[in-house]
Amino acid sequence: MGNTKYDSCSERDLWNLVRTGDEGAFSFIYREQVKYLFTYGSHFTNDEELVKDCIQEVFARLFHRADKLGETTNIRFYLCLALRNEIWMEYRRRKRLPLSAMDELPFLANFYLESPEEEPLQQHLEKIVETINLLPHRQKEIIYYRYIEELSYEQICRIMGLKYQSAVNLVQRSLKKIREIYTHTFSYSDLPLALFFILKMHLFVNK
Amino acid sequence: MLKGCFHGDVELSLAVHPRYAKNKKMKDDLSLNDPEREEFDELYRTLSRKLRVEHKELPDPEVEELWQQLISTVRSRKKRLRIHLLMGSVAASVALLIGTLFYYHTRSGDIDRDDILHAAMNLNRVDTLEQISLILNDEKEIAIAENNVEIEYTEKGEVQVNSRPIGEKAAEEAETLTYNQLVVPPGKRTLLTLSDGSRLWVNAGTRVVYPAIFHRDRREIYVDGEVFLEVARAEHAPFTVRTGALDVMVKGTSFNILAREGEATRSVVLVEGMVTVKTAHGSMTLAPSEMLEVKNGTERIRKVDVNRYILWKEGIYLFDNEPLHVIMEKLSRYYGKRIICDEASGGLICDGKLDLKEDLERVLNGIAKTAPVTWKQSDETYQIAIIR
C-alpha cells in the first residue's frame, strides 16, 4: 500500500501497534489481508455478502478490543481463525443449528490440477483429485490446509478446533475413503500405485 | 475452543513448510527398495505442486469501499459495542447490517433519511431469545413470557403490554428520536401498536425497530422478517417501512411485508390502499391484491389471493401448490422448532389450510393423515419421512 512506515515493520511489531490502537496499522492490516480473507471465507459459503459481513465483524471486534489482544507473529493465521469462527457462528445462527453441529459447516471449494501432465500420470492425478473432491467437508478442509496452505498439524488443529488425535483420525478417515474409491476405479494393475500414493500421504501427514 | 480466539494466545511460527523439506521427509520415510519408486516420487511431487483449489477473489475497488464502510461503522459503534460484549453477545448481525447502510448511502445520498437504519444497525440483534423481547432506548430489555401479546405505545410514547402500563418511559424528552426494538423469536407472535395508532402484526422470527414517538412529518420503521401492517392515516406524515432490500412507502393502507435478511425471496402484498415500493432497480406502485415478489434480483408483480399471505395473523396458513419442505420451513419458524424433511417428502406438492392455533404435534398429525408421510421427534428435531 506504499506505506513504508508499516511495510518495514515485522508482523509482531505491526500487531503490537494495532494493540495500542494505532489506526494506521489497523488500516494497513485490513488492506493487506482483506482479499485473502475473502478468498478463504468463500470456501465455506457461496454467500459473498455473508463472507464480507463476517470479515467486517472480525475487524470491528479487533478495533474495539485492541487492548485485549494477545501477541502474534502470524497475523493472517490469527485473522483466518477468527473469520472461520465468525462464519461458523453466523451459518449456525441462520440455519438454527446447535453448537455441536460443527460437521455441518460446508467446505465447498473444489480441487483441481494447475496444468496437464503427460499421460498416464495425468490420468492418475485426475483420479486422485476427483476422489478428494468427493470427500466429506471436514476431510476436504483438512486436505486444503495441508496441501494448499501448508499449515502445520498444530495450526490445523487450532483452526479446525480439533484435538491432535481427532485431526489424525480425520486424516485417516480421508485416506481410507480415497483408498476405497481409488481402488474401485483403478484396474488391478494400477492398484500398487494407488496404495503407494496413499501410504506416502499417510506418512507425510502423520509426521 | 475457538471462541476465545480474541483473547489471543496465538503464537505460532509462519505457516509455510518449505516444500523441499516435505520431500526430504518423504524420502527418509521411504526406505523401500521399490523399483518403481522414482515414478511414485514423481506422482507425489507433481500432485503437491499442482494441486489447486477453486477460489473467488474480491475485486480491488471493493477493498476501499469495504474499508470506508468498516471505519465509519467502528467509529460510531464504539460505545455501544462494549455493552453488547459484556452481555456476552456475538453481535455478528450488526455487521450484517453494515452492508445495508452502505447501500442506502450510495443510493439515496440522503443522510438524514438513514436514521432508522443507523438505529437498526446500532441495536444489537438478539434473535437467539426464547421470549418476546422489547428493548427500550436506554438498553433496558423487557422480556415477555406470554405469546400473542399486545404491545401498545400511547401518543406520548408510554408503553403498555396487554393493556398494562409497564412503568417505563420509552422515550426521553429530547429533540432526537429514540428508537425501540421489538424482537419476536420463532414460535411467538405479537401485535404492536405504534404511537401514531398504526398496528403491526409481527410474525415469528422478526425484528422491528421504530421510534417510541414518530417524527412530526415522517414515520419510518425497520423490519427484518414478516409483518402485516395497518397504517394509520396521516396526510402529512408518510409512512415508510425499510428493509435491507426494499422500502415500502404508504399513506394509509394495509399490507403484508416479508423481507428477512439472508433470505432470497422478499415480498410485499397489498390488501387495501396504495403503496410505492422502492427496490434497488427503481420504484413501483402496487394496487390492492397485488404482490411484488423479489427473488434472486428479479422483480415480479402479480394478482394474488391476499388471504394466503395474511391469514397467518389469525393463526391460519393457506397454501396451494407448495412443496412440503416450504410449508415445514414456515411451521418451523412459526413454532420455533427444528423440522427436517427427507428428500422424498419435502418434494410433495400440497394444497390446503392449516390451523396454527393448535400445537405443532397436532398440526403434524393432521398433515400425516392427509399426506403419505410420518413424523417422529428425536432430540429437539421433528423428522418428516415419506411412507413407502
Side-chain angles (χ1 to χ4, degrees), chain A residues 36-195:
Chain A
Y36 181 86
L37 289 171
F38 177 79
T39 299
Y40 172 66
S42 299
H43 293 325
F44 301 103
T45 170
N46 284 324
D47 185 345
E48 295 184 9
E49 293 310 309
L50 188 148
V51 176
K52 288 182 208 163
D53 291 342
C54 289
I55 293 173
Q56 301 293 61
E57 183 56 31
V58 164
F59 277 98
R61 270 215 305 273
L62 201 65
F63 185 88
H64 291 297
R65 308 192 66 194
D67 52 333
K68 298 204 174 52
L69 297 173
E71 289 199 346
T72 187
T73 52
N74 191 341
I75 293 171
R76 177 168 288 180
F77 181 74
Y78 195 111
L79 293 172
C80 284
L81 191 69
L83 178 62
R84 184 181 184 275
N85 194 36
E86 192 66 39
I87 289 174
W88 165 235
M89 296 297 274
E90 184 59 22
Y91 181 83
R92 189 179 56 80
R93 202 179 63 76
R94 290 191 184 184
K95 296 267 173 183
R96 299 180 191 284
L97 298 173
L99 257 178
S100 55
M102 190 67 212
D103 285 350
E104 298 183 42
L105 178 69
F107 187 83
L108 302 170
N110 277 320
F111 294 90
Y112 65 94
L113 292 166
E114 190 196 30
S115 57
E117 279 292 321
E118 280 168 32
E119 297 295 348
L121 185 58
Q122 177 65 14
Q123 193 199 341
H124 295 317
L125 292 173
E126 274 174 10
K127 207 40 136 181
I128 293 167
V129 171
E130 209 175 288
T131 309
I132 294 174
N133 282 334
L134 292 173
L135 291 174
H137 296 307
R138 291 286 74 69
Q139 298 181 23
K140 272 173 83 177
E141 187 181 4
I142 210 167
I143 287 183
Y144 163 76
Y145 291 133
R146 201 59 173 142
Y147 288 91
I148 306 289
E149 295 298 331
E150 303 184 318
L151 298 187
S152 71
Y153 230 112
E154 193 187 3
Q155 286 174 313
I156 293 177
C157 289
R158 199 167 187 113
I159 207 159
M160 294 180 75
L162 296 172
K163 291 206 178 72
Y164 189 86
Q165 192 52 46
S166 320
V168 170
N169 293 345
L170 188 60
V171 169
Q172 288 182 346
R173 267 211 306 283
S174 320
L175 297 177
K176 198 161 164 249
K177 192 74 180 285
I178 291 177
R179 179 166 24 201
E180 273 167 26
I181 301 176
Y182 196 75
T183 50
H184 270 114
T185 25
F186 273 86
S187 67
Y188 185 75
S189 63
D190 286 324
L191 197 61
L193 180 77
L195 290 177

Side-chain angles (χ1 to χ4, degrees), chain B residues 2-47:
Chain B
L2 285 170
K3 213 175 171 191
C5 60
F6 269 110
H7 294 294
D9 47 354
V10 180
E11 182 63 52
L12 291 167
S13 57
L14 281 163
V16 181
H17 280 206
R19 217 178 288 269
Y20 60 82
K22 279 201 308 200
N23 285 327
K24 185 173 180 299
K25 195 183 288 168
M26 292 296 315
K27 285 218 168 88
D28 293 345
D29 289 338
L30 297 164
S31 54
L32 329 154
N33 276 328
D34 196 312
E36 293 178 60
R37 176 175 158 177
E38 283 310 308
E39 190 187 329
F40 296 133
D41 276 352
E42 192 194 342
L43 178 68
Y44 174 76
R45 269 197 306 273
T46 315
L47 183 73

Side-chain angles (χ1 to χ4, degrees), chain B residues 52-71:
Chain B
R52 295 288 182 274
V53 73
E54 289 166 1
H55 63 278
K56 287 188 192 162
E57 276 178 25
L58 189 68
D60 280 320
E62 276 199 55
V63 172
E64 198 52 36
E65 272 177 28
L66 286 168
W67 165 252
Q68 293 301 339
Q69 198 181 311
L70 175 75
I71 200 69

Side-chain angles (χ1 to χ4, degrees), chain B residues 73-93:
Chain B
T73 314
V74 289
R75 283 185 183 135
S76 70
R77 215 171 100 197
K78 195 147 195 168
K79 259 188 176 169
R80 229 168 245 284
L81 191 97
R82 286 182 192 281
I83 298 164
H84 293 156
L85 290 170
L86 284 175
M87 286 162 60
S89 170
V90 183
S93 53

Side-chain angles (χ1 to χ4, degrees), chain B residues 356-375:
Chain B
L356 304 179
K357 287 188 285 291
E358 297 173 350
D359 64 40
L360 176 60
E361 302 196 352
R362 287 185 64 179
V363 172
L364 291 179
N365 281 336
I367 293 174
K369 265 185 209 152
T370 45
V373 295
T374 57
W375 64 271

